[in-house]
Amino acid sequence: MMKNLNRLIVTLLLAMITAVVFGQGMTTSGMNGRVLDDNGESLIGATVIALHNPTGSQFASISDADGYWRI
């Protein structure tokens, strides 16, 4: 009985370890910048859209009081 319990525990631990190892495939990133007009003044409330062409995904942000945006 004890031998079967030990095998079960080892099997469960191995299953959990492989889930953690293969769970590392996610990637994240970020973009930021500043929107300025022709005179070098910050544009407040400008909409910035980043488009990922292969999937068509769009990510948007609105510039803050200093013209900075973050996605």
Side-chain angles (χ1 to χ4, degrees):
M1 180 68 178
M2 201 61 170
K3 192 174 190 179
N4 288 337
L5 182 62
N6 286 341
R7 284 184 182 170
L8 177 64
I9 291 172
V10 168
T11 303
L12 289 174
L13 286 173
L14 287 174
M16 289 178 6
I17 288 171
T18 53
V20 170
V21 169
F22 287 112
Q24 303 302 316
M26 183 187 298
T27 59
T28 58
S29 66
M31 298 172 63
N32 60 55
R34 188 172 185 196
V35 182
L36 302 172
D37 64 11
D38 292 336
N39 298 324
E41 300 290 324
S42 299
L43 286 176
I44 301 167
T47 301
V48 178
I49 299 174
L51 173 65
H52 183 250
N53 286 330
T55 62
S57 300
Q58 293 184 3
F59 305 92
S61 180
I62 298 174
S63 61
D64 62 16
D66 295 320
Y68 290 101
W69 56 271
R70 295 155 203 87
I71 296 177

